[in-house]
Structures are given as C-alpha cells and as structure tokens.
C-alpha cells in the first residue's frame, strides 16, 4: 500500500520499536507519523530545515531528526492514538 502525504522525496523512514508507527521525513520539511495497522497519518510535524535522518530512542517515546543544514531536533511521540 502507498502512503500519500509528502510532497516530493522521502528522505528517511523508521518504525517504532513496537511496530505500531512509521515515521517518515520528507524534502517538504515535514515529519509524518503513520499508524501501521491502518496506514493512517496520525501526526504532522514541520521543522525549519529539510529532514534527512531519523533515529529512535530505544526505550523512550522520542526520536532525533537531523536536517540538511546540520540542525538536530529532539521530538517526542506523545498522545498518539
């Protein structure tokens, strides 16, 4: 199934450790969170730069995102359905 949501290329994707969510980062400067069971987008986060890398914390509901300009963002996955 195709998940439509980003405008342009997707630069990175990562599943949460429990497999319930997929996080994608695109050249549209957005990070999208998808519920894997339904393939539904459940969150959209905008950052100032184009996100290039994603890294999940192994035991906390948070992740890091690196952008093309060298910026690093710590984001939390809270209140997801």
């Amino acid at each position: 199934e195709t998940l439509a949501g980003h405008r342009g290329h997707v630069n990175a994707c990562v599943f949460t450790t429990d497999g319930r969510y997929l996080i994608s980062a695109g050249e549209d400067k957005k990070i999208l969170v998808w519920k894997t069971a339904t393939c539904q987008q459940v969150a959209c986060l905008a950052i100032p730069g184009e996100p290039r890398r994603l890294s999940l914390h192994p035991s906390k509901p948070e992740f890091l995102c690196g952008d093309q300009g060298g910026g690093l963002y710590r984001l939390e996955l809270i209140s997801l359905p």
Side-chain angles (χ1 to χ4, degrees):
E1 187 167 336
T2 301
L3 305 177
H6 285 289
R7 291 190 173 135
H9 297 285
V10 174
N11 296 326
C13 289
V14 64
F15 285 97
T16 57
T17 54
D18 61 8
R20 293 179 58 208
Y21 299 96
L22 171 70
I23 304 166
S24 60
E27 71 177 1
D28 55 3
K29 299 182 181 178
K30 292 182 182 174
I31 299 167
L32 303 180
V33 182
W34 308 86
K35 192 169 188 176
T36 56
T38 62
C39 295
Q40 179 182 27
Q41 181 185 320
V42 294
C44 177
L45 309 164
I47 63 170
E50 182 181 330
R52 295 293 181 117
R53 302 283 185 266
L54 297 170
S55 181
L56 285 171
H57 191 285
S59 61
K60 294 181 182 178
E62 62 186 35
F63 63 98
L64 294 175
C65 175
D67 72 14
Q68 90 285 1
L72 186 63
Y73 307 89
R74 184 180 143 268
L75 302 157
E76 294 183 356
L77 295 170
I78 56 173
S79 302
L80 291 176

